[in-house]
Amino acid sequence: MHIEIDLFSDFICPWSYIGKHQLDAALARFSADRPEVAVRVRWTPYLLDPSIPVQGRPFRASLVAKAGGEAAADAMLAGIREAGREAGIDFAPERIEVQPNTLHAHRLIYKAQSDGLSPATVYELVEGIFSAHFSHGENIGDPVVLGRIAGACGQDETAIRTYLLADDDVDAVNALARLGEAMGIGGVPCFVFNRRIVLPGAQPAAALVEAMH
């Protein structure tokens, strides 16, 4: 018996990062309850804002425009920090200068999964990208930054950077990014269990465990 979870997410979405941590907790609980059931997570790209240029755009100005003013932006960040603390994440939005285009980050995960890297390595890559953006303020749209993250996860940094600077798998990743919209998914994170049960949003671990059961 096995379970497949398609997790639609984007690396600039704080709720996607929170949802990942909720899933981590849920998988640990479920594994303790049902050790005989194998669970496979497929990280599926979703581009919240495909219009972001390849070089990114100023983070603060983008946030203020989206929120509708400085006070609203600060309130939004305060809520995200609090939700992050509850999920065990140290959000540091004051360090973020660039709102990145996440296509390259999704390509990195696509390649890792397509190449058959271990789930643990893929997990480490995903966590590394989220953490680089939200906790350290790095530009995860930059192939150099992504190459360094991949290198820290045991991959060939130079080879990864070369891959990202070319256009390999761009069409495939863009096609997958449109899949969520075609399925009626309007936001992320979104968890799809065995392509039958859909749970949108950063669900609590208990809800994810219940869906797996």
Side-chain angles (χ1 to χ4, degrees), residues 89-173:
I89 300 170
D90 180 22
F91 282 111
E94 69 280 359
R95 297 180 179 177
I96 303 174
E97 296 182 358
V98 176
Q99 182 79 318
N101 180 303
T102 55
L103 177 62
H104 289 329
H106 287 302
R107 288 175 63 212
L108 178 58
I109 300 305
Y110 177 87
K111 177 175 173 56
Q113 294 183 132
S114 298
D115 288 350
L117 297 189
S118 71
T121 299
V122 177
Y123 167 92
E124 190 178 4
L125 281 169
V126 171
E127 179 67 24
I129 295 169
F130 272 125
S131 177
H133 176 60
F134 283 113
S135 297
H136 303 287
E138 296 187 79
N139 180 5
I140 57 169
D142 185 346
V144 173
V145 171
L146 292 169
R148 187 169 68 248
I149 294 169
C153 297
Q155 295 184 270
D156 185 322
E157 180 175 340
T158 300
I160 291 297
R161 192 165 59 245
T162 300
Y163 164 79
L164 293 174
L165 287 169
D167 59 1
D168 304 47
D169 300 325
V170 168
D171 289 343
V173 172

Side-chain angles (χ1 to χ4, degrees), residues 5-24 41-48 66 80 83 87 89 91 106 126 130 134 180-181 183-193 197-205 207-208:
I5 304 173
D6 292 286
L7 176 48
F8 292 81
S9 64
D10 196 5
F11 292 107
I12 57 172
C13 173
W15 299 106
S16 288
Y17 195 12
I18 291 169
K20 175 197 170 297
H21 273 239
Q22 302 286 38
L23 179 61
D24 294 344
V41 178
R42 274 192 297 258
W43 303 92
T44 308
Y46 191 99
L47 298 175
L48 280 174
K66 178 180 178 180
I80 290 170
I89 300 170
F91 282 111
H106 287 302
V126 171
F130 272 125
F134 283 113
E181 184 177 347
M183 292 173 60
I185 295 172
V188 288
C190 186
F191 303 84
V192 182
F193 298 83
I197 298 173
V198 180
L199 287 182
Q203 296 282 340
L208 299 175

Side-chain angles (χ1 to χ4, degrees), residues 14-15 18 72-86 91:
W15 299 106
I18 291 169
D74 289 336
M76 183 184 297
L77 291 178
I80 290 170
R81 281 195 185 94
E82 180 57 30
R85 277 192 292 270
E86 293 177 3
F91 282 111

